[in-house]
Amino acid sequence: MNKNTRIVILGAGYTGMLAAVRLAHRTRRLGTRITLVNANERFAERLRMHQVAAGHKLGDYRIPEILAGTGVEFVRGWATHIDPARRRITVATHAPEPTLLTYDTLVYALGSSTDTSIVPGATEHAFTLNGQHASQEIAARLPDLAAQGGNLTVCGGGLTGIEVATEIAENNPGLNVTLLSRDVPGAMMGEKARAYLHRAMDRLGVATRVGAVVARVQPATVELASGEILPSDLTIWTAGVRVSQLATTSGITTDSRGLIVVDAGLRSVSHPNIYAIGDAAAIRLAWGQIHGTCQSGMPSAQYVADAITRHLRGKNVKPFRYGYWHQPVSIGRKDAVIQFTFADDRPRRIYLKGKWAIWYKEMVSSSPLKLYRYSKHINVSATLSKGGRLTRTPATAQ
């Protein structure tokens, strides 16, 4: 065991933060030096950005305060290059010269963002929920638009699109909110949960266009592939996901999207001293590949923190196992629906709605910050399900 092991974690989102805090607790007697790198000092609650966009205020959580007492060093900056051969990372900061960090073990947790490059004009003319500042820009424009009876268009009918459309509609009743979706919103849910969702959206006045394919976004319109032009005073883009290309440009093996290809222990197949977690990892299990969510990202962070600790202690590490548990969706502040699922994310018959779903969703959304506080002192589990028999046979990296 090396008592001077240098561990660097890139990214302080939900997964990177948990990995840092849990590693600090679990390796506190092993003499490790842990460094966490993130571009911003403020911790972004990605699960709640739709609330910010609707005009609600969130708590102001600072990364150094969350890390207080852990011994983890925080570096405010962004990695521009990884040299896997020399185990060195170039980090740009606000200083004139970049910072060079060396590592024995690297945890890559850079996460993902909304991909606005899919459709012409989306980058220039659509807003996203990619962070606190972007969401606040949306909120700043809503009061005037609502007073004028303006039109707001949400492009993308996934869970993020549903949550931001309903949140804004509830908080700004004078606004005409339209949700454009290729598929039926809530298509992944069971029939009863999906029907409840649609009734709630109708009650809030959210107009849904199913089968709508966006061809172009203009400053005041959205053009569909059918040629139809929709008026849109403000357009929010929630469709598509992209990840940092840092791993790819640094010579680490990635898939076609830029996710690091990992083995059953979440280690890079090309550089085993690099772990990838959350949205940054191409994690394939026996039932299929995990899609990036906080629900799956947190267990991957917990697993990697524990795996690194076991390696440092010279112990064996079992393969990563995970199964989905639920699909929680808020429908404004006064309603929600929770679809419980099988490990492979197929819907079960069980679901929650109304006040019980609100309570459940709030518990889930607020739990990460509580988890970080508890993880400074005890080993709290972030894994609701290991997938049962569906994950007992680990899949090979692809």
Side-chain angles (χ1 to χ4, degrees):
M1 179 181 66
N2 183 353
K3 293 200 175 202
N4 295 304
T5 299
R6 299 160 300 181
I7 302 172
V8 175
I9 302 167
L10 297 182
Y14 286 115
T15 58
M17 184 62 73
L18 178 58
V21 174
R22 191 176 179 94
L23 262 171
H25 170 66
R26 300 219 62 188
T27 65
R28 64 192 183 281
R29 293 190 179 93
L30 301 180
T32 55
R33 290 180 291 164
I34 303 172
T35 301
L36 178 62
V37 180
N38 198 66
N40 299 306
E41 186 179 274
R42 181 171 182 166
F43 177 74
E45 294 185 82
R46 285 284 301 273
L47 290 177
R48 293 176 177 265
M49 284 302 108
H50 61 284
Q51 294 177 235
V52 177
H56 300 290
K57 293 188 180 298
L58 303 182
D60 186 5
Y61 302 103
R62 300 290 164 166
I63 293 172
E65 294 174 3
I66 297 174
L67 295 175
T70 63
V72 175
E73 178 190 8
F74 174 62
V75 174
R76 184 178 179 182
W78 52 99
T80 59
H81 182 69
I82 301 171
D83 185 341
R86 297 183 180 181
R87 299 186 180 184
R88 189 169 65 184
I89 306 166
T90 304
V91 178
T93 65
H94 294 290
E97 297 296 325
T99 297
L100 294 179
L101 299 176
T102 57
Y103 65 87
D104 297 299
T105 299
L106 171 63
V107 180
Y108 190 96
L110 290 182
S112 64
S113 60
T114 305
D115 188 0
T116 57
S117 68
I118 301 172
V119 168
T123 300
E124 296 82 6
H125 307 303
F127 291 82
T128 69
L129 303 179
N130 280 340
Q132 186 84 13
H133 180 69
S135 300
Q136 287 173 336
E137 283 191 90
I138 297 172
R141 295 190 56 180
L142 293 181
D144 287 343
L145 284 181
Q148 300 165 12
N151 300 296
L152 180 144
T153 305
V154 178
C155 302
L159 299 188
T160 301
I162 292 170
E163 290 193 324
V164 72
T166 54
E167 194 85 36
I168 288 176
E170 179 186 76
N171 214 41
N172 300 271
L175 201 59
N176 300 307
V177 180
T178 300
L179 178 66
L180 303 181
S181 180
R182 292 189 178 217
D183 204 348
V184 176
M188 76 296 292
M189 296 179 171
E191 183 178 344
K192 292 183 178 180
R194 184 169 60 250
Y196 183 85
L197 170 66
H198 290 178
R199 288 195 298 271
M201 293 174 69
D202 290 341
R203 172 175 51 79
L204 291 172
V206 176
T208 304
R209 297 286 299 270
V210 178
V213 178
V214 179
R216 182 179 298 275
V217 178
Q218 300 283 15
T221 61
V222 173
E223 181 181 342
L224 303 184
S226 63
E228 184 179 0
I229 306 294
L230 304 178
S232 182
D233 300 299
L234 192 153
T235 302
I236 301 175
W237 192 269
T238 68
V241 175
R242 64 182 173 193
V243 300
S244 169
Q245 295 302 301
L246 175 64
T248 303
T249 58
S250 298
I252 301 166
T253 298
T254 58
D255 67 7
S256 59
R257 296 173 295 168
L259 281 68
I260 293 180
V261 180
V262 295
D263 61 16
L266 304 193
R267 293 172 128 182
S268 163
V269 295
S270 59
H271 300 86
N273 63 326
I274 298 176
Y275 291 82
I277 58 178
D279 295 1
I283 304 173
R284 187 166 187 82
L285 300 177
W287 52 262
Q289 185 157 319
I290 288 177
H291 56 83
T293 63
C294 182
Q295 181 187 171
S296 57
M298 299 287 277
S300 72
Q302 173 186 311
Y303 170 87
V304 162
D306 295 348
I308 292 173
T309 303
R310 291 187 66 84
H311 278 298
L312 290 174
R313 295 181 183 275
K315 297 182 179 181
N316 293 328
V317 177
K318 293 181 180 180
F320 176 67
R321 290 177 57 194
Y322 170 76
Y324 287 99
W325 178 258
H326 56 200
Q327 297 163 353
V329 186
S330 61
I331 314 170
R333 292 296 85 209
K334 301 175 183 177
D335 206 351
V337 60
I338 314 295
Q339 174 67 67
F340 293 98
T341 69
F342 293 100
D344 58 4
D345 212 25
R346 288 178 296 116
R348 293 179 181 269
R349 294 177 61 184
I350 306 171
Y351 74 102
L352 290 178
K353 62 183 180 180
K355 64 179 182 179
W356 289 110
I358 295 170
W359 171 82
Y360 187 99
K361 181 66 163 64
E362 181 61 25
M363 179 185 67
V364 171
S365 297
S366 63
S367 63
L369 288 161
K370 294 177 183 177
L371 184 64
Y372 304 146
R373 289 196 293 268
Y374 296 147
S375 295
K376 292 181 181 182
H377 311 290
I378 58 177
N379 297 327
V380 184
S381 179
T383 304
L384 291 175
S385 170
K386 290 189 176 181
R389 61 187 178 186
L390 284 179
T391 60
R392 285 176 187 154
T393 302
T396 56
Q398 293 188 1

